[in-house]
Amino acid sequence: MMLGTFLPKPEQRFAAAGAALGALVSVAWLASGTALPDQMAPHWDVPAVMAAGAMPFILGGSFYRWRYSRRLELELRAARRAERRLRNEVHRDKLTGLANRAALEADISQALSAEGAAFARNALLLLDLDRFKVINDTLGHDAGDRLLALFGARLRRAFAGEATVYRLGGDEFVLAAACAPSQADAEMLATRVEKLFEAPFDLGETRIASGCSIGIAFIERSDKSTSDVLKRADLALYEAKAISGNSHAFHSETLSHAVRQRAEAERDLTRGFEAEEFFLAFLPILGIESGSIGGFQALLRWRHPHLGVIGAETFEPPEQSATTLALAAWALQSACRQAAGWSFPKGLTIAPFVSQLRDRDFVTQVERCLSDAGLSPERLTIEVAEGVSTDDLVIVTENLRGLRALGVRVALGGGSASSLPLNQISEVQPDQVTVDLAAVRAAHGSERSVALLACLIKTGQVLRLSIAVSGVEKESEADCARTCGAAEIRGPWVSPVMADVSVLVGDGEAGEARLSASA
């Protein structure tokens, strides 16, 4: 304890031990001069005495140097071990054990730094699991993590020695091929990845089937960083997601051009929203039983400085844009306020954007708009006019059930009704289903549209669903809707889109005149 206090460093203690040993050697040497016979005793002269005196310092310094070198060696080994462990932690995904994004960036940077013939134009496959969000929402995050780990293990086993597998985060993986410079090579790799989903995944309590979408790009000499390659692969992945089931797509300049166009459209949308160029127009809805205008459908319009007045179906607001969500919230709030100010209590139908429908706060937003405007919930109908992807079914269904709990009416449009399974429709229990006659006409022609309309209305009645018909342009179509038992119709035959609905008062004389003429 005393030695450790005065000599805290190990090399200091080793130096003290060496000096003590050197002193002991000198003393032994000195003692040998008196113990041995004269002829065997060492001859003491000045060099010998100096050597004996220097012995403690020589051995002390030697011991110090040896211990100091040993300590440095041990510290260097420990530092190398720590560096390897840290590098492994930094470049390794904890959930799957695969290399992570940092490792991908390091590897691609190394590949891009290769000069001349050493540069390899290899394929990079960006993978995204299908329906992963649904699995997380329905089975829980533990099941989702289990699926990611199992899929990562399958990828690692399938491509060991051929490609490096990375997990970027979430349900995104990357497969970087060691030797796949051509489109045919990359296509073969993508096909092999898709075959990995032929067997279901065992998540413990359940087994599920899944799939993935794959975007393919190549590492080019012109790339400056990893993000350049990933951007192209992400564009291809976006294209692959538009194809149902296991699918893959290659990046092309056409995709890049489309992205630039979307970016320009989003900037124009933001400018128009800030300049207050958007407004609402209303399409009258005719109740067949009452023969009068029973409500209005709110339609978003854009008074564009160059294109004139255009509808939402023309400019198609980007789903992931913050401006789109702000515009959608404004449209909902504005429509509720205008409807609350009508001198007659007519219904209001709104078809929200898909991004609104999959927002977990959508029901709260609707409730807030109704409260702020002072509009009764039963006067509002939310119509799901667009097709809903399978990934969005859970949250959309929950929102629609929440709206019905508020007292808001729910209508399923033609696209959404066909994309929702029958069990989902029974869970939502919509107040009506809207048949888009314009879509029927475009798909099957005008001659067959009336016959198909009759079939669709009858099918809805079998399912005990109230049927509305939109896009009515002809008297024969209105007659068919009325004869087959549709509840309401709207379209050019009833009335054109109106910017001001105050001209329609009382019981809807214009609508009654239309039905009387067709009777």
Side-chain angles (χ1 to χ4, degrees):
M1 181 65 71
M2 292 286 291
L3 188 62
T5 302
F6 289 103
L7 302 173
K9 295 184 179 180
E11 53 268 26
Q12 291 175 337
R13 293 192 289 274
F14 264 74
L21 181 61
L24 182 62
V25 170
S26 297
V27 169
W29 192 9
L30 180 62
S32 66
T34 58
L36 294 175
D38 293 340
Q39 62 273 19
M40 298 181 61
H43 178 69
W44 290 100
D45 53 14
V46 174
V49 172
M50 292 179 64
M55 188 63 68
F57 298 99
I58 294 173
L59 288 183
S62 299
F63 274 48
Y64 180 88
R65 188 183 183 94
W66 175 82
R67 178 56 188 173
Y68 184 74
S69 300
R70 179 62 176 169
R71 184 173 69 87
L72 288 181
E73 182 181 354
L74 293 174
E75 288 179 355
L76 182 60
R77 289 180 181 177
R80 287 174 178 171
R81 286 196 299 270
E83 183 182 0
R84 285 195 297 268
R85 185 171 60 253
L86 182 61
R87 185 185 299 113
N88 186 65
E89 291 177 356
V90 170
H91 291 84
R92 193 68 53 183
D93 177 61
K94 293 182 179 180
L95 177 63
T96 62
L98 300 173
N100 60 12
R101 187 187 185 98
L104 175 65
E105 291 180 350
D107 292 345
I108 291 184
S109 295
Q110 183 177 359
L112 293 176
S113 64
E115 299 290 342
F119 177 81
R121 180 184 180 270
N122 285 322
L124 184 143
L125 282 65
L126 180 59
L127 286 58
D128 185 273
L129 287 176
D130 295 337
R131 300 178 60 252
F132 182 72
K133 184 175 180 294
V134 175
I135 294 170
N136 262 347
D137 289 342
T138 56
L139 301 180
H141 290 282
D142 289 341
D145 289 347
R146 174 70 175 161
L147 174 60
L148 293 174
L150 290 175
F151 178 54
R154 285 190 188 183
L155 282 174
R156 184 166 43 203
R157 287 194 302 269
F159 296 97
E162 297 180 64
T164 306
V165 183
Y166 308 82
R167 183 192 173 207
L168 292 189
D171 60 334
E172 284 191 337
F173 294 79
V174 164
L175 194 69
C179 186
S182 69
Q183 185 163 326
D185 296 328
E187 185 111 32
M188 188 179 302
L189 289 175
T191 302
R192 288 173 58 190
V193 172
E194 291 163 2
K195 287 183 178 179
L196 295 179
F197 293 93
E198 292 179 351
F201 293 88
D202 186 1
L203 303 184
E205 296 181 356
T206 183
R207 291 164 62 86
I208 68 161
S210 186
C212 78
S213 301
I214 307 172
I216 308 172
F218 289 89
I219 301 175
E220 305 289 355
R221 193 180 295 275
S222 59
D223 292 329
K224 302 299 182 184
S225 64
T226 305
S227 62
D228 293 342
V229 189
L230 287 179
K231 282 179 183 177
R232 295 197 303 274
D234 194 55
L235 294 179
L237 177 63
Y238 184 83
E239 190 76 5
K241 285 183 177 180
I243 309 171
S244 60
N246 271 352
S247 56
H248 60 270
F250 286 86
H251 172 265
S252 66
E253 284 304 315
T254 303
L255 292 179
S256 295
H257 178 67
V259 169
R260 288 192 293 270
Q261 284 186 320
R262 285 198 295 269
E264 291 176 3
E266 184 171 351
R267 286 193 294 269
D268 194 24
L269 184 75
T270 302
R271 181 206 56 77
F273 183 60
E274 293 174 350
E276 299 182 353
E277 294 173 356
F278 291 90
F279 66 98
L280 294 178
F282 296 88
L283 183 65
I285 300 174
L286 180 64
I288 289 183
E289 184 177 349
S290 65
S292 63
I293 299 298
F296 298 87
Q297 180 185 7
L299 302 173
L300 184 62
R301 294 291 183 259
W302 185 0
R303 193 175 288 103
H304 197 280
H306 304 298
L307 303 177
V309 176
I310 56 177
E313 68 281 358
T314 303
F315 58 83
E316 295 182 1
E319 292 185 9
Q320 304 301 326
S321 168
T323 303
T324 298
L325 292 175
L327 177 61
W330 171 85
L332 177 63
Q333 186 179 51
S334 180
C336 289
R337 286 178 177 174
Q338 291 191 48
W342 292 338
S343 59
F344 43 91
K346 302 296 184 180
L348 171 66
T349 298
I350 300 176
F353 297 150
V354 176
S355 54
Q356 282 180 288
L357 290 170
R358 59 171 174 242
D359 186 349
R360 292 190 179 275
D361 293 330
F362 181 57
V363 176
T364 304
Q365 293 173 13
V366 172
E367 185 177 18
R368 187 184 307 117
C369 286
L370 292 172
S371 177
D372 292 344
L375 186 68
S376 299
E378 61 271 11
R379 288 181 57 191
L380 177 63
T381 298
I382 295 294
E383 184 174 83
V384 186
E386 297 292 336
V388 179
S389 69
T390 54
D391 290 344
D392 301 324
L393 281 180
V394 174
I395 183 60
V396 170
T397 302
E398 288 179 1
N399 280 338
L400 295 181
R401 284 201 299 262
L403 291 174
R404 295 201 79 248
L406 288 179
V408 175
R409 298 178 75 251
V410 170
L412 299 180
S416 60
S418 61
S419 63
L420 287 173
L422 287 179
N423 64 321
Q424 295 289 129
I425 294 177
S426 63
E427 286 183 23
V428 175
Q429 295 181 344
D431 297 278
Q432 72 179 34
V433 170
T434 303
V435 175
D436 186 359
L437 189 53
V440 174
R441 196 183 298 113
H444 302 285
S446 299
E447 295 180 358
R448 301 178 59 190
S449 62
V450 173
L452 287 171
L453 174 62
C455 292
L456 291 171
I457 295 174
K458 293 297 184 183
T459 302
Q461 290 176 336
V462 170
L463 297 175
R464 297 181 179 179
L465 294 171
S466 174
I467 302 297
V469 182
S470 67
V472 176
E473 296 180 350
K474 302 176 182 178
E475 185 175 333
S476 59
E477 295 169 347
D479 287 341
C480 175
R482 181 184 58 189
T483 304
C484 293
E488 59 186 41
I489 60 175
R490 60 182 184 262
W493 182 85
V494 176
S495 171
V497 176
M498 310 176 69
D500 183 10
V501 301
S502 61
V503 296
L504 292 180
V505 295
D507 295 326
E509 292 85 347
E512 290 181 340
R514 287 286 192 182
L515 276 190
S516 298
S518 64

